[in-house]
Amino acid sequence: MTMLALKNVSKSFGALTVTDDASFEVPEGQALGIIGPNGAGKSTLFNLITGNLRSDKGSIHFQGRDVTKVSAMERCLTGIGRSFQIPQPFEKLTVYENLLVAATHGRNLSERDVRDDCADVLERTELIKRANTPAGQLSLLERKRLELSRAMATQPKLLLLDEIAGGLTEGECQALIQTIKDIHAQGVTIIWIEHVLHALT
Amino acid sequence: MIWIDTIIQGILLGGLYALFASGLSLVFGIMRLVNLAHGDLIVMGAYLILVLVTLLGLSPFLAVFVAVPLMFALGWFLQKFLLNRTLGEDILPPLLVTFGLSIALQNALLEGFSADSQRLPTNALTTASVDAGPITLGVMPLLTFASAVLVIVGLNQLFYRTELGRAFRATSDDATTASLMGIKPANIFATATGIALVIVTIAALYLGLRANFDPNIGPARLIYAFEAVIIGGLGSLWGTLLGGIIIGVAQTVGAAINPEWQILAGHIAFLVVLLVRPRGLFPRAND
């Protein structure tokens, strides 16, 4: 089954055409890597898929449904999750609370229904020991893990990772990749953009 | 012994100031909005209770239960349709708008209720007192202080134990990211101001039972509230209680020395704390 299909998607900011006639399909279960230098339009492509930006032309289908005109919030509810290039955790909330906020509002559920799921996510992303630490006190790798966890807390079928390995050392990068591979192995389709090649290979 | 009595009266008076200040502190903490009409809203709350007492023949304590939902709704709409529009990078618009609101409220109250001072009707409970060893404590000051503690405990529970509280803190931390998570900051802010006006109503009850009020006393209550918040350190609710107590004790001690010094002593205490601890007694770690 096709998870995501873009057909002739274009986006311009004034005279600058950032995404020009992009078409591709992502089958369910795939892990797709997209590489490009800074300013190539990778994040714009993600914003188009998540609905944070509207495309000027073309169509976007998610699991066979046309979501071209669907709001970002609703796309999140139907299963498109993303991480942000620059992690923006709520610094004064604990790691666990950060996830609860994402899960309750991202899935439209009450806290009682998402508590266990959030703990599971933290287990998988190896942040469970830091669950009660304020997010402001995390190291960079832990912040990346939190960003990943927060995207996972919305229980996405398609996970978009935006330069999540940026700024990490080689060793940290390997540790994070292992976690992402585990998530992929559990059946989550992943699109990952990065401007360093080795993270994707 | 007179001194112990004076200091205890001051501490209990501090509870009233903490009630004035808690709503102000809540709104500032969540949306960095300084509401210059806060004192006038307290006075308006007192008139609302008075009207309910007169019209429905209720005791002031029961009238509060009618007034609370009305005031919550007022706060919600005020924030949603007026104050939210003033929030942004620039801190001047909210100051100007709430200053204007303060003037409008004072004049509306003056028009509606005249400049004559009013008081909520007292009953046996409001004039009762209890003997605690060598000193006598009024039931009303004790109730006021207990209410202040309850309000602060309640707010802390709300902030750290509930989903709404988590949304408050997340929005206060970073409203943009919160909206990406599906939180609607405009509604969160409206709810926060609604809750602030619930506290305002409780403060109004004790204001109206303790002494006379007229349409012009709002700004002075605002200043006591500000001083309590700043002494305690912005964002700390228990600090706000302590700030209220410091002003209350300074006022009663000042008044015991010379009745003319009551108000002045409170302001001097505030200035001394500012000199020694410019960020208040319990400042937040950052911002």
Side-chain angles (χ1 to χ4, degrees), chain A residues 37 62 142 148:
Chain A
F62 178 65
E142 286 168 336
L148 184 63

Side-chain angles (χ1 to χ4, degrees), chain B residues 71-94:
Chain B
M71 291 290 277
F72 178 88
L74 173 72
W76 200 93
F77 284 105
L78 186 66
Q79 184 67 43
K80 178 93 174 177
F81 297 107
L82 179 66
L83 299 180
N84 272 345
R85 291 160 186 257
T86 69
L87 294 175
E89 288 299 302
D90 193 352
I91 61 160
L92 199 55

Side-chain angles (χ1 to χ4, degrees), chain A residues 148-163:
Chain A
L148 184 63
S149 310
R150 209 156 59 162
M152 286 302 294
T154 61
Q155 299 216 322
K157 301 183 186 93
L158 173 66
L159 179 61
L160 305 171
L161 302 175
D162 191 352
E163 299 207 8

Side-chain angles (χ1 to χ4, degrees), chain A residues 52 73 76 84 88-94 96-98 100-102 104-106 109-112 147 150, chain B residues 32 159-163 166-167 169-175 177-183 284 286-287:
Chain A
N52 291 80
M73 192 61 225
C76 178
F84 285 88
Q88 296 163 323
F90 300 113
E91 312 244 327
K92 287 174 202 134
L93 273 62
T94 67
Y96 184 53
E97 286 177 326
N98 264 280
L100 285 176
V101 168
T104 50
H105 295 276
L109 292 173
S110 77
E111 182 184 324
R112 213 174 317 122
E147 193 56 34
R150 209 156 59 162
Chain B
R32 303 291 179 275
F159 259 58
Y160 294 101
R161 295 268 181 275
T162 69
E163 220 172 301
R166 204 178 308 115
R169 286 185 293 136
T171 312
S172 157
D173 205 331
D174 183 347
T177 307
S179 60
L180 287 175
M181 300 280 135
I183 293 173
R284 276 206 285 210
N286 37 10
D287 78 27

Side-chain angles (χ1 to χ4, degrees), chain B residues 126-138:
Chain B
T126 55
T127 49
S129 60
V130 288
D131 289 323
I135 51 173
T136 304
L137 298 171

